[in-house]
Amino acid sequence: MRIRIRNRRQMWLFIAAVTIVSVFTTELTLLLVYLSVGDAAFGKENAFLTALVVPVLVAVPVCYMTARMALQLSNAHARLKELAHTDELTGLINRRSFFESAETLLDRAQDDGSILSLLVIDADYFKQLNDTYGHATGDAALQFITEQLNGSVRKSDLVCRLGGEEFAVLLPGLKEIEAAKLGIRILERISSRPMFWDDKIIEMSVSCGVADTHIGYDMTTLFKAADDALYAAKTSGRNRQVVFSKMEDARKATSSPSARTAAPS
C-alpha cells in the first residue's frame, strides 16, 4: 500500500482515515478487554494495565501509517535530489552539477597552487548512428562510452554527461600533457572495443579537446578552451585529440612577423 497525498482534500481524507482507524481500534480493544475480563478490567486493580494496553494497540497501526508516509516522502526527496544532479541514462552527474563541483575544485586548486585539466569529449557521427540503427542503439552507445570513461579515469576525477553525445572529464592534479595521454587512452579504448548491440557489431570513435588551468582558473574560460580544441579535432577528421596550448602555439607561429615573412607569396 502506497500513501500519496497530492492536495489538501487528500490530506484531510488521510487525517479522517487515521482518526477512524484510531477510534475503531480503541473501541475494539476495549470491547475485547471487557469480553475477556469483564467489569473487573475497569476496576482500580486493572486500570493501569488497561490504560497501558489500549494506547499501545491503538498506536501501532496509526504510527505504522504515519511512518510509512514519512518513509515514502524521504525516498521521493532522495530520488528528486538524485535526478537533479544525475543524468538518468548514463548515471553520470549532469551538466549543472558538474559545473558547480568544478567551480569548487578550481577554487581549491587556485588556493593550493595546483593545476587541473579538462577533457571535452564528443561521440563521432552520432546522428548517423541514430538514423541508421535507431535511438535505442544511440542510448546504448552513450552507455558504452560511459563505461569506457569510468574504466579509464581515477576516483578523484569528475566525469559528466554534458548533454546529447558530449561528455566532460575534470582531472585534478594533471597538467595538460598528462591529461592528453589519458585522452589518447580513452580514444584508443573506445575505438578498439566494438559495441555489441542487438546482434550487431558497432564500431565507435570519439574526438577530444584538452586544456588546463595555465589559461586561468575560470571554468567558463577553461571549458571554452577545451571545447575549441574539440571543435578543431572534429574539423580535422574526428577520432583524434587536439590540445589547446598547441593550437595557441600554432596560431602564434602563423601570426608572428617572422612567420609572415617566411611564408611563400
Side-chain angles (χ1 to χ4, degrees):
M1 180 184 72
R2 294 187 65 84
I3 302 170
R4 295 180 180 178
I5 299 176
R6 298 187 178 89
N7 51 51
R8 192 173 291 273
R9 176 175 175 273
Q10 291 181 353
M11 180 188 74
W12 285 110
L13 286 174
F14 174 76
I15 292 172
V18 171
T19 302
I20 291 170
V21 169
S22 301
V23 172
F24 176 77
T25 306
T26 302
E27 294 292 336
L28 180 61
T29 304
L30 290 172
L31 178 61
L32 291 175
V33 170
Y34 176 76
L35 293 176
S36 300
V37 183
D39 292 335
F42 306 105
K44 290 182 179 180
E45 63 276 11
N46 294 318
F48 176 78
L49 181 63
T50 303
L52 176 66
V53 170
V54 172
V56 168
L57 293 179
V58 172
V60 169
V62 174
C63 289
Y64 172 79
M65 294 176 67
T66 306
R68 186 176 179 85
M69 186 175 67
L71 177 62
Q72 291 172 2
L73 287 173
S74 177
N75 290 339
H77 177 73
R79 178 59 177 162
L80 287 172
K81 185 176 180 180
E82 180 184 354
L83 290 174
H85 295 279
T86 307
D87 174 63
E88 190 171 6
L89 177 64
T90 62
L92 299 174
I93 61 173
N94 59 25
R95 185 186 186 100
R96 176 183 176 183
S97 182
F98 176 76
F99 274 82
E100 289 176 354
S101 300
E103 292 287 359
T104 301
L105 289 173
L106 283 167
D107 289 343
R108 188 180 305 161
Q110 188 172 23
D111 292 340
D112 296 341
S114 58
I115 198 162
L116 289 90
S117 291
L118 176 66
L119 307 180
V120 178
I121 300 167
D122 190 84
D124 295 330
Y125 303 108
F126 189 73
K127 183 179 184 304
Q128 181 179 331
L129 181 123
N130 269 335
D131 292 344
T132 304
Y133 299 107
H135 288 282
T137 305
D139 289 347
L142 295 175
Q143 292 169 338
F144 172 78
I145 293 172
T146 299
E147 181 181 345
Q148 306 314 311
L149 289 174
N150 285 334
S152 304
V153 301
R154 307 164 299 173
K155 289 183 178 180
S156 59
D157 299 331
L158 201 62
V159 186
C160 156
R161 182 187 175 195
L162 293 169
E165 66 272 24
E166 195 171 25
F167 299 81
V169 185
L170 191 66
L171 305 164
L174 291 190
K175 297 179 181 178
E176 195 178 57
I177 188 171
E178 298 165 329
K181 292 178 182 178
L182 174 62
I184 291 297
R185 289 201 299 271
I186 291 172
L187 263 64
E188 291 176 347
R189 180 171 179 145
I190 291 173
S191 61
S192 65
R193 300 186 181 191
M195 184 183 79
F196 297 92
W197 173 259
D198 196 24
D199 298 326
K200 301 180 184 69
I201 299 176
I202 300 173
E203 295 184 352
M204 295 193 62
S205 68
V206 297
S207 299
C208 180
V210 187
D212 71 14
T213 48
H214 81 275
I215 59 175
Y217 287 86
D218 175 66
M219 186 57 190
T220 301
T221 303
L222 181 63
F223 180 80
K224 184 180 185 307
D227 200 46
D228 286 348
L230 169 64
Y231 180 77
K234 286 285 191 180
T235 55
S236 60
R238 293 180 172 83
N239 191 24
R240 64 192 61 203
Q241 175 176 269
V242 171
V243 176
F244 180 72
S245 64
K246 293 183 178 180
M247 291 173 57
E248 283 188 315
D249 294 341
R251 283 196 293 265
K252 289 175 183 177
T254 56
S255 62
S256 66
S258 58
R260 287 198 296 269
T261 303
S265 57

